[in-house]
Amino acid sequence: MTQPAEQADSRPPRRRPGGRTGRNRALVLDAVRAELAERGYDALTLDAVAARAGVHRATVYRRWRDVGGLLADLLAATGDDDWQPEDTGSLEGDLTALNRENFAALTARPSIAAALLAASFRSEEAARGLHRLWADRYTRCEVIVERAVRRGELPPGTDARRLLVAATAPLYHELMLLRTPPDPGLPDQAARAAALAARAGAFTRPS
Amino acid sequence: MTQPAEQADSRPPRRRPGGRTGRNRALVLDAVRAELAERGYDALTLDAVAARAGVHRATVYRRWRDVGGLLADLLAATGDDDWQPEDTGSLEGDLTALNRENFAALTARPSIAAALLAASFRSEEAARGLHRLWADRYTRCEVIVERAVRRGELPPGTDARRLLVAATAPLYHELMLLRTPPDPGLPDQAARAAALAARAGAFTRPS
């Protein structure tokens, strides 16, 4: 759930895709992030995004059509990076690093991650985009479990998805659903609990 | 997160609270549940609720004021029951029973629990009401951990809240945030993982 450091491209227009079109996209998506984080879903309009991005309204309407189109493209761009989970050398270390990263994204002020999650309850296109992004992120994280199995930390046949969800879900539950004040001890504790359960065979698929 | 079996009171009006006022409240809250579950937050209006409940519009406007007021009262009524977690005789059994109940509530069609959760991203009053309801439910569930400590299943000083969140969060994460299709094995597996981690000391507070 990390946000890419997508900056407006300041190079001169080129002929290949990535010239003016790519630059406009970067400007528009930056503006969507900023509007969403600062003002929320209800205030998000194509006009406000166009004005903030300094891109022609007509271009924004033609290319993104509506708020759902903007959110879907923002989520697609967010997933289009080379993010990989950190390799710390241990299962608990890897899960802790992942949880700290998610916790930081969810408690940032403003938090794009939290705003996108909230938007997924408003827009079907945002919900589908977030579902795809998340499926991809959890798939990328499976390497954490593969490494732990190779090191002999975990039994083969450990269900990576369930282990990763067990490790990460408490943060989202507390911060996004229960809305409890952020507990800085939670990322490490939830990672440790999932690692302990995993080593005890809690996520081993019945063979 | 169980829903109370609140039925419209069919007894004749009485003088004490619980007469016409109580009956109207039951009718109105039943109508809110039905409208929310069948048509969602966007279609929820005081007029539709009044019509469905068969209660005067003026009464509904005077007493509940707006949609936020209806949701806040529905959540207050939902929490005003004598729900207690099941006592199965073991930590894993108690957590499994709790997870199965939550899973059934979240996957019911229509699901009031899921509709209220979605509404909490729309209405501040719903968010506050849900926060209170949930805080109360987790407090009531602490007895699960107390019993396990008394039985010698868990070390004293186990953090009940963190254990309960670890056991229950994966269901909400998968069903409400990731929106994966319901996996009927998840309630038992998540309960077992949390119980294993707890027995391994994952939720013991540093002394």
Side-chain angles (χ1 to χ4, degrees), chain A residues 117 120-122 127 131 134 138 161-162 165 172-174 177-180 183 189 193 196-197 202-203, chain B residues 117 120-122 127 131 134 138 161-162 165 172-174 176-180 183 189 193 196-197 202-203:
Chain A
L117 245 166
S120 77
F121 284 90
R122 309 296 300 277
H131 179 88
W134 237 328
Y138 276 108
R161 163 83 180 204
R162 281 189 171 168
V165 165
Y172 291 93
H173 198 58
E174 288 282 16
L177 299 183
L178 309 186
R179 295 176 213 195
T180 34
D183 166 1
Q189 189 275 328
L196 277 170
F203 305 102
Chain B
L117 245 166
S120 77
F121 284 89
R122 308 297 300 275
H131 179 87
W134 238 328
Y138 277 107
R161 164 83 180 205
R162 282 189 171 169
V165 165
Y172 291 92
H173 197 59
E174 288 282 16
M176 296 302 302
L177 299 184
L178 308 186
R179 294 176 215 194
T180 34
D183 166 2
Q189 189 275 326
L196 276 171
F203 305 102

Side-chain angles (χ1 to χ4, degrees), chain B residues 9-72:
Chain B
D9 183 348
S10 60
R11 288 167 294 178
R14 290 163 297 173
R15 302 303 295 259
R16 67 172 184 79
R20 181 186 297 174
T21 302
R23 204 171 56 243
N24 276 348
R25 184 182 183 219
L27 289 168
V28 165
L29 296 186
D30 278 345
V32 176
R33 270 186 213 101
E35 287 287 311
L36 198 59
E38 288 170 23
R39 294 148 52 82
Y41 181 91
D42 283 313
L44 191 65
T45 64
L46 270 64
D47 287 352
V49 165
R52 182 163 202 147
V55 170
H56 283 301
R57 278 180 76 241
T59 305
V60 174
Y61 275 85
R62 193 172 54 239
R63 178 154 177 196
W64 287 277
R65 212 179 62 254
D66 57 23
V67 164
L70 285 173
L71 291 172

Side-chain angles (χ1 to χ4, degrees), chain B residues 27-181:
Chain B
L27 289 168
V28 165
L29 296 186
D30 278 345
V32 176
R33 270 186 213 101
E35 287 287 311
L36 198 59
E38 288 170 23
R39 294 148 52 82
Y41 181 91
D42 283 313
L44 191 65
T45 64
L46 270 64
D47 287 352
V49 165
R52 182 163 202 147
V55 170
H56 283 301
R57 278 180 76 241
T59 305
V60 174
Y61 275 85
R62 193 172 54 239
R63 178 154 177 196
W64 287 277
R65 212 179 62 254
D66 57 23
V67 164
L70 285 173
L71 291 172
D73 198 35
L74 173 56
L75 285 157
T78 304
D80 188 19
D81 61 9
D82 57 1
W83 183 86
Q84 293 295 336
E86 220 178 298
D87 184 356
T88 68
S90 76
L91 174 65
E92 187 177 333
D94 287 3
L95 296 175
T96 301
L98 178 63
N99 267 0
R100 287 183 184 176
E101 198 173 333
N102 287 342
F103 189 81
L106 289 171
T107 57
R109 291 287 170 268
S111 167
I112 306 281
L116 284 171
L117 245 166
S120 77
F121 284 89
R122 308 297 300 275
S123 151
E124 257 314 302
E125 274 175 282
R128 278 194 299 272
L130 191 60
H131 179 87
R132 268 194 300 273
L133 173 62
W134 238 328
D136 177 59
R137 286 294 197 253
Y138 277 107
T139 302
R140 292 192 206 184
C141 285
E142 288 178 4
V143 69
I144 292 175
V145 179
E146 288 158 18
R147 287 193 298 245
V149 170
R150 268 203 307 276
R151 279 190 302 259
E153 274 196 86
L154 287 183
T158 297
D159 186 321
R161 164 83 180 205
R162 282 189 171 169
L163 165 48
L164 293 164
V165 165
T168 54
L171 273 63
Y172 291 92
H173 197 59
E174 288 282 16
L175 296 171
M176 296 302 302
L177 299 184
L178 308 186
R179 294 176 215 194
T180 34

